Amino acid sequence: MNLSPFQNFIWIAGTVLKLLLCVLVFARGLHRRLPLFSLYIALLLPEAVGVHWVYRHWGYTSQAAKYFYWMSLGIVLCARALAVAELCWRSLRDSPAVWGTVRKPLVLLASALLVYAAVSAASNRSPMIAFTLAVERSLDFGIVVILAALAGLGVRYKVWLGQTEKKVVLGFAVYSAFQVVNDALMEKWMMQYFRWWVSASVISFDAALLIWIVPLLRPLPPLTPPPTLFSQEESTAILAQILEQLRRIVQETKRVLRSRWK
């Protein structure tokens, strides 16, 4: 069974968008700011071309197509997880106190999602496929939770990313949110309507690609340095004043105590 004309169209459109995005990422120098995200984008094009070639050569429902699709998906999922982790680190790296607070919960969340995926795959007749599918669902859910928390931390502690990086976050959030909803609605009927499930996923990802492409059509804005409350000289002067005030308070306290005990 081969791809329908509509599926061929969306695969071709997605491949063109991935190629354009890959060129823009390296032409605009985004790979120097977000190397892991750039690696993820670079993997998308060979993955799309390879899957499409396998579908046309061996058929959409062949064993070769099934295993190639899920294996390539596993590689891309790892790259996507690393890209999201990179965004979290870049957002909070200038606030070590906040990063130290949220790092352990993020690690625990990732561990819990992996355990869930392993448990889901253990009793399945195709453990590799079941594990990859469970990881994808867990990753999409985790991305939605993490990026929502990242947005909340950005508002609360005024730590955030540049304009281009915000678009990267938005693209991940849009795609993952759609996937979470799509998986929830299609869980009972996914095998029967697998083609439509994949097509809907491809279209939602194309929307994310467009979100990423638009800001890269112009040169990247320069990175703004993290805000500093005081310069080193000002901080030293203020600290000296505080210490002097504390010394005077201690001396005055001692004087008062002596006068009361005389």
Side-chain angles (χ1 to χ4, degrees):
M1 187 181 296
N2 295 319
L3 294 176
S4 66
F6 173 72
Q7 288 172 322
N8 274 310
F9 171 76
I10 61 175
W11 278 105
I12 293 172
T15 302
V16 171
L17 290 175
K18 290 170 185 175
L19 176 60
L20 176 60
L21 177 59
C22 187
V23 171
L24 288 174
V25 162
F26 289 94
R28 298 301 189 192
L30 186 61
H31 62 285
R32 289 188 286 270
R33 293 190 187 182
L34 298 174
L36 294 180
F37 173 73
S38 302
L39 173 63
Y40 169 65
I41 297 302
L43 289 173
L44 292 177
L45 186 60
E47 185 257 351
V49 173
V51 169
H52 191 69
W53 181 83
V54 170
Y55 282 173
R56 290 185 64 87
H57 190 74
W58 279 292
Y60 191 82
T61 57
S62 65
Q63 286 293 108
K66 180 176 71 173
Y67 284 109
F68 187 87
Y69 172 81
W70 291 109
M71 288 178 63
S72 60
L73 178 62
I75 296 173
V76 171
L77 286 178
C78 292
R80 179 145 59 103
L82 291 174
V84 173
E86 179 182 50
L87 288 169
C88 294
W89 178 77
R90 282 192 62 87
S91 176
L92 302 175
R93 65 177 179 175
D94 295 320
S95 301
V98 180
W99 174 245
T101 302
V102 303
R103 182 174 54 189
K104 289 184 179 179
L106 290 177
V107 172
L108 289 175
L109 176 62
S111 302
L113 294 177
L114 284 176
V115 170
Y116 162 75
V119 171
S120 300
S123 58
N124 197 284
R125 289 181 298 177
S126 300
M128 184 191 74
I129 295 176
F131 179 76
T132 306
L133 181 59
V135 167
E136 182 182 27
R137 291 179 173 180
S138 301
L139 180 61
D140 288 323
F141 176 76
I143 287 175
V144 172
V145 173
I146 289 171
L147 295 185
L150 195 64
L153 290 171
V155 174
R156 174 65 178 83
Y157 296 102
K158 294 181 173 56
V159 289
W160 198 236
L161 298 162
Q163 292 299 320
T164 304
E165 288 82 357
K166 286 181 182 179
K167 294 298 190 299
V168 175
V169 170
L170 178 61
F172 276 127
V174 167
Y175 176 65
S176 294
F178 180 87
Q179 286 292 90
V180 169
V181 175
N182 195 28
D183 290 340
L185 295 177
M186 295 294 292
E187 184 174 3
K188 294 182 179 179
W189 307 284
M190 191 183 70
M191 296 311 297
Q192 184 179 358
Y193 300 103
F194 184 73
R195 280 191 171 196
W196 299 108
W197 179 77
V198 173
S199 298
S201 299
V202 172
I203 292 173
S204 65
F205 190 69
D206 288 348
L209 292 175
L210 289 172
I211 293 174
W212 293 334
I213 287 172
V214 169
L216 294 177
L217 295 176
R218 298 182 297 273
L220 294 178
L223 285 173
T224 56
T228 54
L229 297 178
F230 301 104
S231 65
Q232 183 176 359
E233 293 78 9
E234 291 174 329
S235 300
T236 303
I238 292 173
L239 180 60
Q241 293 175 7
I242 293 174
L243 292 176
E244 178 63 23
Q245 291 292 332
L246 289 175
R247 187 183 65 81
R248 291 179 181 178
I249 292 172
V250 170
Q251 289 179 347
E252 183 65 20
T253 303
K254 289 180 179 179
R255 187 188 65 79
V256 171
L257 290 175
R258 289 195 195 100
S259 63
R260 292 186 61 181
W261 287 99
K262 283 183 179 180

